[in-house]
Amino acid sequence: MTATQTAKADTTQGAFYADADEAEAFGRRLLVAHGLPEEDAATVARCLVRADLRGVDTHGLQTLPHYLERVRRGLINPRPSLKVERVTPMAGSLDGQDAFGFVVATKAMAEAIDMAREYGVGIVSARRSTHFGMAANYALQAMDAGFIGIVFTNASKAMPPWGGREGLLGTSPIAVAAPGGAEMPFDLDMSPAVAARGKIRRAARRGQPIPSGYALDAKGRPTTDPNVALDGGTVQPIGGPKGSGLAMLMDVMGGVISGAAFGGGVRNQFEEFDQPQNVGHFIMAMKPDLFVSRDEYSKRMDTLVQRVHACPTAEGFDEVIMPGERERRLEAIHRRSGVPFHAKEVAAMQEAAAKAGLPPLSVSNQPLA
């Protein structure tokens, strides 16, 4: 195993691997160096690395240098004083104070869980937040506490409404997680777009093409060039008007009802540096045994999982799996072999550490196990 701690990385060398705990510690150090309290820094780093572990590397630790640049520009507030205001016993409103979306959404879900523990359901609507990374983080937060978690957010414009040519709607994710019984749980995290913009940015960063169908150029023509797609182009909704409608729903639930920006008003964190984003989130926790007993709920969930797994496979498939099952498998693999990063991503993270006067992330050019 050859370890490297250099800020330079040859793009021909392939993947580099970092221990998940060391990656989290590296992220925490960088965030604390940029003014975050230890607890908030741990929250952000944990969410970023969890995304990498689950294979959602478009929302992982490699994005941290970009977030830190927004902190330096005063566009992300590193030290908010967050308080959920109860509007009913089961619903609360949260002013995110332009803080890290990871911190805002984690706080919102914690409050929603507290409400659900007492009343069965808890909802928090957040405004003046920022990009919160992988939406599954917060749905899983609820599930790990024994609740069903439902998470909506809106995002900056990237996708036209069905029939339109210019971007207006965000690639706003939907995440839902429900505990299982003896079998595995259900956890869904999806975008209403064919591909999230993060995948297009990743391809551009790595000098790779994007699959046909991901995006259109500025004139509405299909393109496989990620740089062309990012230069005034748009991403495409899943299922045509269905994906477009889901993106609008995320704008209603995340933006309209919360007081956050909506209808193309959320600022693009990668391109607009004149003011904060004003992202809105809808965070909900619910007891899974509101309508049937917990034992009955668990048995019914197990039946669902078993029937999904037992479904005969279509041509070209070896198995039928549950939402979240692939991500759970990847997490188990990456905890053993290390979190994989592209060489350019490693170089950017090492440069960020050097600027902050911190030690680099220890990485290997071979899997750790």
Side-chain angles (χ1 to χ4, degrees):
M1 182 181 299
T2 303
T4 178
Q5 292 183 326
T6 179
K8 297 179 180 179
D10 183 350
T11 59
T12 64
Q13 287 182 282
F16 288 81
Y17 299 85
D19 175 80
D21 291 339
E22 291 187 18
E24 272 196 44
F26 172 82
R28 286 197 305 272
R29 290 193 298 269
L30 263 175
L31 289 156
V32 169
H34 282 76
L36 272 74
E38 286 279 355
E39 183 177 355
D40 288 355
T43 294
V44 176
R46 181 179 65 252
C47 289
L48 290 171
V49 174
R50 186 78 184 273
D52 282 318
L53 286 167
R54 287 170 63 91
V56 190
D57 55 357
T58 54
H59 291 50
L61 193 66
Q62 53 85 12
T63 61
L64 185 54
H66 174 77
Y67 288 113
L68 297 178
E69 176 61 22
R70 292 189 71 85
V71 173
R72 289 191 291 269
R73 289 173 178 250
L75 299 171
I76 294 179
N77 174 10
R79 302 186 75 88
S81 179
L82 301 178
K83 180 177 175 58
V84 176
E85 298 180 5
R86 294 280 183 101
V87 296
T88 77
M90 299 165 56
S93 176
L94 176 58
D95 181 349
Q97 301 175 12
D98 302 318
F100 272 90
F102 307 92
V103 177
V104 175
T106 299
K107 171 72 173 179
M109 182 55 85
E111 188 77 10
I113 290 169
D114 284 345
M115 288 187 272
R117 191 170 281 120
E118 184 171 0
Y119 299 106
V121 175
I123 299 171
V124 176
S125 176
R127 65 190 183 279
R128 285 215 303 154
S129 186
T130 60
H131 190 265
F132 70 5
M134 181 181 71
N137 276 312
Y138 319 106
L140 293 171
Q141 178 185 346
M143 191 186 75
D144 290 343
F147 296 84
I148 294 172
I150 300 174
V151 178
F152 302 155
T153 188
N154 66 356
S156 59
K157 58 185 180 182
M159 184 169 65
W162 185 244
R165 187 176 65 188
E166 295 183 354
L168 176 69
L169 307 171
T171 57
S172 311
I174 303 162
V176 181
E183 300 285 348
M184 66 175 300
F186 169 96
D187 63 273
L188 171 72
D189 184 357
M190 59 167 279
S191 166
V194 173
R197 280 175 300 177
K199 292 184 178 180
I200 298 173
R201 292 192 187 96
R202 179 183 62 189
R205 185 172 59 249
R206 297 179 178 183
Q208 300 169 342
I210 56 175
S212 178
Y214 268 26
L216 304 179
D217 66 14
K219 294 184 178 180
R221 300 170 301 193
T223 182
T224 58
D225 186 330
N227 294 297
V228 169
L230 294 170
D231 185 17
T234 58
V235 298
Q236 294 298 287
I238 56 172
K242 296 179 182 179
S244 176
L246 286 172
M248 289 185 203
L249 174 61
M250 297 305 98
D251 227 4
V252 172
M253 302 302 290
V256 172
I257 69 171
S258 68
F262 65 96
V266 175
R267 314 300 284 186
N268 187 313
Q269 65 165 340
F270 292 97
E271 298 173 7
E272 298 177 274
F273 297 92
D274 57 334
Q275 58 183 284
Q277 287 188 276
N278 196 10
V279 178
H281 314 310
F282 176 91
I283 306 287
M284 178 175 173
M286 183 178 80
K287 283 184 178 179
D289 53 350
L290 281 179
F291 311 110
V292 296
S293 70
R294 186 59 188 249
D295 184 60
E296 180 69 11
Y297 165 82
S298 297
K299 289 178 180 177
R300 293 170 71 86
M301 283 296 294
D302 284 346
T303 298
L304 173 62
V305 175
Q306 290 161 4
R307 288 177 178 175
V308 168
H309 285 160
C311 186
T313 56
E315 185 176 350
F317 289 85
D318 297 323
E319 60 179 345
V320 179
I321 62 176
M322 289 286 292
E325 190 166 358
R326 172 184 175 275
E327 288 79 2
R328 290 174 179 278
R329 292 174 181 177
L330 284 173
E331 182 167 355
I333 292 169
H334 291 155
R335 287 198 180 278
R336 295 192 304 269
S337 65
V339 177
F341 295 107
H342 188 272
K344 287 186 176 180
E345 296 161 357
V346 173
M349 290 190 290
Q350 308 296 44
E351 182 180 359
K355 284 181 179 179
L358 295 172
L361 174 65
S362 178
V363 298
S364 168
N365 58 11
Q366 297 179 25
L368 305 183

